Amino acid sequence: MEILISDEPQLAVVKGVVADRIQKLTLGPPIMGERCCRASYGMVCTEVYDRARHMGLPTWTDPLDRRLYVPNQIDWFVKKGEPVSTDHPIKHPFTRKIDPNGPRETWKSRLVTSDVDLKFLPRTFSLSQSSSQLHCTLESDLTHIPLSTFKKKNRHWYNKGNAYYRASYSMHVVIGSADLRFELWMDGTRHSEGVPIRVQWDPVVKENTQEAMNRDGVRLNALD
């Protein structure tokens, strides 16, 4: 093995980012098609109550649809050490309810990060525990879109509860050379330019399958 030293080590990272961008713009596939992150990143969300998953967790009943929900759950979209593709964004769907009688407001989403191993990733976010930390808050602004664009619920006379609108949109997480960029999309239209979050990437190491089997062993009862 030969170790090559850059003539300008202080510019090596910058040149690598530029070369990767030029490769993607001119030839299509980037130099590094996959990357591994040194930390996990996730969105704090609210989930519909599932007894098998949420037994013992705090719940609340939404007055608009009268369903039981569990707050402060984490959807990990980038996991530490697992490869992610730079060719396609990670799409994180959201659903929000809009009270037609209330004020139109922007929606805030909490982005959290964790340095722990995958098996210790928490499913619930809490400021009192150290396994995950609040990284930043992302704001989604769809107040300029008419209410008639969204799906109206409880609109029939036989429906229980007050009428409301349901907004379905997605946050696209674009994997960059040195960052994650968040874009707000709805109905195939991008409604934000993208908020960059700086992250540290590692190259994906392709491991020989036979070597991995010899090291880790084969789980014979995997299909039991």
Side-chain angles (χ1 to χ4, degrees):
M1 180 178 67
E2 183 181 1
I3 299 177
L4 302 178
I5 301 177
S6 173
D7 295 333
E8 298 177 302
Q10 68 274 19
L11 298 177
V13 175
V14 176
K15 288 183 176 180
V17 172
V18 173
D20 183 75
R21 182 61 176 168
I22 293 175
Q23 170 87 5
K24 191 170 184 179
L25 291 175
T26 57
L27 301 178
I31 296 174
M32 295 175 59
E34 289 184 330
R35 294 182 172 91
C36 288
C37 195
R38 300 182 184 181
S40 298
Y41 289 86
M43 288 283 192
V44 180
C45 58
T46 296
E47 296 180 349
V48 178
Y49 178 77
D50 181 343
R51 185 174 181 180
R53 286 172 50 85
H54 304 127
M55 177 67 72
L57 295 179
T59 61
W60 65 283
T61 301
D62 191 320
L64 292 176
D65 64 4
R66 301 186 180 183
R67 300 184 69 180
L68 197 61
Y69 289 90
V70 182
N72 297 321
Q73 301 303 289
I74 305 176
D75 184 2
W76 297 103
F77 56 85
V78 171
K79 294 183 178 180
K80 178 181 177 180
E82 289 192 350
V84 290
S85 172
T86 60
D87 295 330
H88 306 286
I90 301 171
K91 299 178 181 180
H92 188 92
F94 280 97
T95 299
R96 301 274 190 169
K97 300 182 184 69
I98 305 174
D99 186 347
N101 299 316
R104 297 289 298 275
E105 298 177 345
T106 58
W107 299 316
K108 294 178 173 59
S109 303
R110 289 174 291 172
L111 176 68
V112 296
T113 183
S114 177
D115 294 321
V116 303
D117 292 337
L118 298 186
K119 61 182 178 181
F120 298 119
L121 277 180
R123 291 169 54 183
T124 302
F125 177 70
S126 173
L127 293 174
S128 62
Q129 49 88 15
S130 59
S131 56
S132 63
Q133 299 80 39
L134 180 64
H135 189 80
C136 65
T137 300
L138 304 174
E139 192 169 275
S140 303
D141 188 359
L142 294 176
T143 56
H144 60 285
I145 298 179
L147 282 177
S148 57
T149 306
F150 306 118
K151 185 176 181 62
K152 191 173 184 178
K153 305 293 292 183
N154 288 348
R155 65 184 186 276
H156 301 296
W157 63 268
Y158 51 81
N159 291 132
K160 296 181 179 180
N162 297 326
Y164 64 92
Y165 290 90
R166 185 177 66 194
S168 299
Y169 63 99
S170 63
M171 191 75 73
H172 289 198
V173 185
V174 182
I175 308 300
S177 299
D179 60 15
L180 297 172
R181 192 171 74 254
F182 295 85
E183 299 176 346
L184 177 63
W185 286 74
M186 193 186 79
D187 294 335
T189 301
R190 186 175 66 180
H191 292 272
S192 71
E193 292 299 323
V195 180
I197 302 296
R198 189 170 184 83
V199 298
Q200 291 183 311
W201 299 109
D202 287 324
V204 177
V205 178
K206 299 295 185 180
E207 187 176 35
N208 182 279
T209 303
Q210 186 61 49
E211 291 179 357
M213 291 173 63
N214 293 339
R215 185 199 66 212
D216 299 331
V218 179
R219 186 183 175 195
L220 298 178
N221 62 341
L223 300 180
D224 291 350

